Amino acid sequence: MLRTITPRNARVKRFMQNREAKVEENVKSALFIRGSSTSQVVSDALADLYMLKKPNGVNFSKKNSIHPFEDHSTLDFFSQKNDASLCIVATHSKKRPHTLTFARMFEHQLMDMMEVHLENCKPMRDFKTPKSAIGMRPCFQFNGDMWDQHPQYKMFKSMLLDFYRGKTVDRVALAGLEYIISVSHGPLTAEGKPGKVYLRTYTIQLKKSGVKLPRIELEEMGPSMDMTFGRAEEAKPETWKEAMKVPRELKPKKKKNVSTDEMNNVVGRVHLGRQDFDKIQTRKMKGLKKRPAADEADSADKKQRVDDSNDDE
Amino acid sequence: MDVSAILEAHKSKFKPVSVEGKVIPVEFDLGLLAAYDQNPLDEAELRKGKDAYLHDLARDNTQLLLNQVFQLPTVSDDAGVLAMLPAPTTPLPREKPLPKPKPETRWEKFAKAKGIVKRKKERMVFDEESGDYKPRWGYGGANDDGTKDWLIEVPSSADPMEDQYAARREAKKERVDKNKKRQQRNMEEAAVATKLDARAVKRGDRPNMDNVRAMKRREIENQILVSKAATASAGRFDKKMDGDLKPKGIRRQFAPTITDSGKEKSGNMDILNRIVGKGGEDLVNVRKAIKRTK
């Protein structure tokens, strides 16, 4: 366990406050960890993934004997110490060659994790092309029909988006869209298990097109990896539920009396206030005309008086 | 004059920005700058030339994504043209739980009742003594509460030999201590309320602080009762004193005199089974029982 620190000055206090739970969270930072034995393939892949995550990543240069699927207490410890909620562990063994384990934490406790086995990797340095600047926000694309259907594909998609989404912002510089992470999956295997997944990274070039929108050309910048899925551990339902909660402040405000129908038309409901039937303009008819009550009483009175005078005479 | 031919000729000089051949339209999450293409990959193409095919596919989908991004409303800044992104639609998990709301302090409660609203005050205030701006409070602050005056008039009621500077320092220290005590009290009350109104805290609301004093009192009484019972005989042979606290909310239960005979039998059999039945050996400490009979 880490010792608990009581802040003794304002700087430490601010630092501690920054680590506390917040409505709008910090960018998730990631740990890049080498297992007890690694191959050149996974080391290169790990280094490249770290380059893409910079500056919100911590690269562990020493080897650590970590087997996340057997015991994840070390990962939890690292997560708490570095205030990081994502991590990748690179390992290589005869049984599971060239393996990256993607793991996610909630409250510094392991939430979910999955293994991918790498094949046909080409690191960034083997592409002699211009690279994107460090810390740029990537675009994503997921090609294939299984990304929302198969649990493992779903998890990988969620994991990758979580790793590289960066800070949630409401505006982005159009000139800053420098690269795209493209993930595609091939057909399922004969047994219906996940097949190969292709991760490619391209720089985006905006070309003239004669119209307002630019013509896009891509150039591969690396890394390029083909992978298959290994073991996976899904999040516990209660942890997942807790993690997916959206704070009240960030929920979109409900617009009253405005809705959309099935045809995507915006339908508004307007309240007109209470109607006063006496003042409403209807068809005019002499019979329906209402005489003021006071007027009526007045005339009756007059009549009476006339009769009285007649009696006197 | 018909310019469509000229426009067409101009356009034909460039490659197109539109993408054809998507059976299922591509979906976007512009808040994350992500495109989700649900069309399955072409297996034959994939086998023929994987990298070229993936490159073309990626280019087409990037074109579609950036077409969407470039059509968003924009603002200009010194950083260039910025597109206004909508909120992300893909749900992703948080890294830490939602922040717990802080329990109401006594001042907050009072201010709410009186309708006192917090106003923002500027941090720097003009200090007439030194003739420049100083922080309102803190290091080098303006509010020294008269402890740095160069001259203090001795009040007529005061002892002329008394150090007025020390008196002011003392007064300030007392105020600070008093406030610290109140902070402590707020913290204690908050702890009690959080414990007792756990349901509201779990819901993500502030705990009810309405009768915190009563809650605190009950908490202390319970603690006293527990500590009193912490003797060798669990408080049984202790001397009772006048005004001793009595445990509240404990009721003795009596079985009714006349009941269903089956129920009574099953209850008795349960007890018997527990003692002589399976696992009954653990219930009675045999060694101790033998010792007692001797």
Side-chain angles (χ1 to χ4, degrees), chain B residues 61 134 143 198 200 232:
Chain B
N61 285 338
K134 281 184 168 182
N143 73 334

Side-chain angles (χ1 to χ4, degrees), chain A residues 38-75:
Chain A
T38 50
S39 61
Q40 190 61 42
V41 174
V42 272
S43 308
D44 285 345
L46 198 70
D48 287 348
L49 290 175
Y50 170 60
M51 283 303 281
L52 297 182
K53 183 65 184 168
K54 251 179 172 179
N56 295 307
V58 183
N59 195 16
F60 283 23
S61 52
K62 280 185 187 165
K63 285 180 176 176
N64 285 284
S65 155
I66 292 179
H67 304 281
F69 283 87
E70 275 92 72
D71 177 26
H72 54 75
S73 55
T74 326
L75 281 187

Side-chain angles (χ1 to χ4, degrees), chain B residues 129 144-156 158-172:
Chain B
E129 206 106 308
D144 50 20
D145 290 315
T147 49
K148 293 211 174 86
D149 283 352
W150 67 277
L151 181 76
I152 302 175
E153 196 179 329
V154 178
S156 55
D159 171 17
M161 298 315 287
E162 193 192 1
D163 182 0
Q164 291 301 321
Y165 287 98
R168 282 186 181 183
R169 271 199 301 274
E170 192 64 27
K172 180 167 182 173

Side-chain angles (χ1 to χ4, degrees), chain A residues 19-23 25-26 28 83 85 104-108 111 120 137-145 148 157-158 161-162 165 168-174 177 180 182 184-187 198 200 202 204 206 208-211 213-218 226 240 242-245 247-248, chain B residues 10-11 14-18 27 30-41 43 46 50-51 54-71 74-75 77 79-86 88 90-100 202-205:
Chain A
R19 283 192 167 191
E20 274 170 17
K22 294 178 185 176
V23 171
E25 297 199 298
N26 301 336
K28 286 188 179 185
D83 192 30
S85 56
R104 250 191 310 203
M105 315 281 175
F106 179 66
E107 231 184 330
H108 305 307
M111 182 162 67
N120 296 334
R137 213 182 147 173
C139 301
F140 297 94
Q141 54 170 287
F142 290 86
N143 309 322
D145 50 345
D148 287 333
K157 178 183 163 189
S158 168
L161 282 172
D162 217 359
R165 70 171 150 165
T168 310
V169 286
D170 58 350
R171 53 190 66 184
V172 67
L174 290 176
L177 302 172
I180 186 156
S182 160
S184 322
H185 73 78
Y198 310 102
R200 300 284 183 274
Y202 305 94
I204 300 171
L206 308 176
K208 271 182 191 162
S209 67
V211 288
L213 298 171
R215 161 84 186 178
I216 307 296
E217 292 298 341
L218 298 182
D226 294 359
W240 186 253
E242 193 68 22
M244 294 307 281
K245 274 186 183 166
R248 226 174 271 166
Chain B
H10 176 70
K11 232 175 157 183
F14 301 102
K15 285 179 178 167
V17 295
S18 56
E27 285 167 26
L30 294 180
L32 285 177
L33 297 171
Y36 306 133
D37 182 3
Q38 300 259 9
N39 297 293
L41 267 67
E43 283 176 49
L46 204 58
K50 190 178 63 189
D51 278 320
L54 288 175
H55 186 280
D56 288 347
L57 182 70
R59 197 219 72 81
D60 284 355
N61 285 338
T62 313
Q63 178 80 59
L64 287 171
L65 174 65
L66 290 202
N67 284 356
Q68 294 286 323
V69 174
F70 273 76
Q71 278 166 5
T74 54
V75 283
D77 192 351
V81 184
L82 305 170
M84 311 279 280
L85 295 179
T90 314
L92 289 171
R94 295 170 60 83
E95 63 170 343
K96 280 164 199 164
L98 294 181
K100 299 229 159 37
K202 206 181 170 197
R203 220 187 304 131
D205 291 334

Side-chain angles (χ1 to χ4, degrees), chain B residues 246-281:
Chain B
K246 274 182 197 154
K248 274 178 200 161
I250 295 173
R251 272 205 195 164
R252 295 180 64 187
Q253 270 187 359
F254 297 100
T257 342
I258 305 157
T259 42
D260 183 18
S261 64
K263 223 184 235 174
E264 196 178 342
K265 190 185 167 192
S266 73
N268 287 338
M269 284 306 283
D270 274 352
I271 297 171
L272 200 64
N273 275 335
R274 258 172 58 198
I275 297 168
V276 273
K278 250 185 205 168
E281 304 89 64

Side-chain angles (χ1 to χ4, degrees), chain A residues 70-130:
Chain A
E70 275 92 72
D71 177 26
H72 54 75
S73 55
T74 326
L75 281 187
D76 297 347
F77 172 77
F78 283 150
S79 161
Q80 188 169 15
K81 184 147 176 80
N82 295 287
D83 192 30
S85 56
L86 304 166
C87 71
I88 306 181
V89 184
T91 48
H92 174 66
S93 69
K94 205 169 172 188
K95 194 173 175 188
R96 298 192 178 84
H98 314 302
T99 305
L100 292 178
T101 309
F102 288 77
R104 250 191 310 203
M105 315 281 175
F106 179 66
E107 231 184 330
H108 305 307
Q109 295 291 316
L110 188 98
M111 182 162 67
D112 55 352
M113 58 180 165
M114 68 183 305
E115 271 179 350
V116 294
H117 305 304
L118 304 181
E119 300 157 24
N120 296 334
C121 282
K122 208 174 165 193
M124 212 187 259
R125 61 162 184 271
D126 286 5
F127 292 94
K128 304 291 177 221
T129 49

